[in-house]
Structures are given as structure tokens and as C-alpha cells.
């Protein structure tokens, strides 16, 4: 009975340790101050024409190591106003400056994060699909 418990404990530890295949190595996190946030917002051109793109990402195995890493990489691109990656729906929603970012550069950024990630069904949209579902129904 003790051996079964030991084997089960080892199996659980191994499962937790290796559950996300593409999890990046430890990343240094910097805390942004209000000044840094204001500088970032100021970098966005208020006169720019912003487009919205939606696409699916295949190959994600977890929400934290995969989806959040891709989301951060997309959000850090110059000209990207916002980026959201939904692991459950395998959906990415990005708002970007047309003059600085293309759908090709978005796809390249995703595929550079990990070899297993592929972009499918890239399309530009007027409004994000997820926001339609979140809109309040009563009015």
C-alpha cells in the first residue's frame, strides 16, 4: 500500500511538472510604475488607424505558460494597442496600428514564441466576437 502511495505521489509530481510542454524558462518580471505606463500609452499614436484581428492559435497546451506568454509577446509589439489570448477558445484578439503592424507580423510573432504554435483563420474584424457575447442584454 505504501508503494502505491509513493508511485501515485511521483506520478502527480511528474504530471504537474511536465504539464505544459512549451512553458518558457523563468522570466524576470518588472513592475511598471505609473510613469512607465503613461510613457507606454503616450507611444500609441492617437491619430493612427487601428484595426482588429482575430485568429485561432493551434498547439497551446496550457493557459499560463502558453496563452499568457503569447499574449505578452503580442502586447509588446510596437503599434499593438491591446492583445488578448483566450486559451479555452484558442482565440487571439489583437487591436493594432495599421501603419506599424500587419497580420503577417502578428503571425510571425506567435510562431516565434514556440515551434508548436500555428495561426489559423486570420481575419480582420470590426469588433471582437467575445465582446459581443459579453455585452449586457438588458436595456
Amino acid at each position: 500500500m505504501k508503494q502505491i502511495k509513493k508511485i501515485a505521489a511521483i506520478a502527480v509530481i511528474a504530471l504537474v511538472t511536465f504539464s505544459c510542454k512549451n512553458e518558457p524558462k523563468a522570466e524576470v518580471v518588472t513592475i511598471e510604475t505609473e510613469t512607465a505606463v503613461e510613457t507606454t500609452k503616450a507611444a500609441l499614436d492617437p491619430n493612427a488607424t487601428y484595426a482588429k484581428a482575430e485568429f485561432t492559435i493551434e498547439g497551446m497546451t496550457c493557459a499560463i505558460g502558453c496563452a499568457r506568454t503569447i499574449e505578452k509577446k503580442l502586447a509588446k509589439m510596437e503599434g499593438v494597442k491591446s492583445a488578448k489570448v483566450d486559451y479555452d477558445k484558442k482565440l487571439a484578439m489583437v487591436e493594432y496600428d495599421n501603419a506599424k503592424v500587419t497580420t503577417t507580423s502578428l503571425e510571425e510573432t506567435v510562431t516565434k514564441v514556440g515551434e508548436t504554435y500555428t495561426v489559423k483563420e486570420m481575419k480582420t474584424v470590426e469588433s471582437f466576437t467575445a465582446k459581443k457575447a459579453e455585452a449586457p442584454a438588458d436595456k
Side-chain angles (χ1 to χ4, degrees), residues 29-138:
V29 178
T30 57
I31 299 173
E32 293 183 355
T33 62
E34 288 182 29
T35 310
V37 173
E38 289 173 10
T39 305
T40 305
K41 288 182 181 177
L44 292 174
D45 185 2
N47 298 323
T49 304
Y50 289 96
K52 295 178 181 176
E54 280 188 347
F55 50 93
T56 56
I57 301 173
E58 298 292 328
M60 292 190 293
T61 58
C62 61
I64 296 171
C66 299
R68 292 296 156 240
T69 302
I70 294 170
E71 185 176 295
K72 287 178 185 177
K73 293 289 185 181
L74 288 169
K76 287 182 181 179
M77 290 177 65
E78 183 180 348
V80 171
K81 186 176 182 181
S82 66
K84 174 75 176 142
V85 177
D86 186 337
Y87 169 72
D88 295 327
K89 296 178 184 177
K90 298 184 186 308
L91 181 68
M93 299 169 281
V94 183
E95 188 171 5
Y96 60 94
D97 181 350
N98 274 349
K100 295 181 180 179
V101 180
T102 64
T103 54
T104 305
S105 64
L106 292 172
E107 185 173 349
E108 288 173 358
T109 300
V110 171
T111 55
K112 285 180 183 177
V113 173
E115 295 176 5
T116 61
Y117 305 132
T118 56
V119 173
K120 306 269 185 188
E121 302 170 10
M122 174 74 75
K123 59 185 174 188
T124 55
V125 295
E126 291 295 319
S127 63
F128 295 126
T129 343
K131 287 190 177 183
K132 291 179 186 173
E134 294 172 7
D138 56 290

Side-chain angles (χ1 to χ4, degrees), residues 7-20:
I7 292 172
I10 291 171
V12 168
I13 291 171
L15 181 65
V16 170
T17 304
F18 300 108
S19 65
C20 186

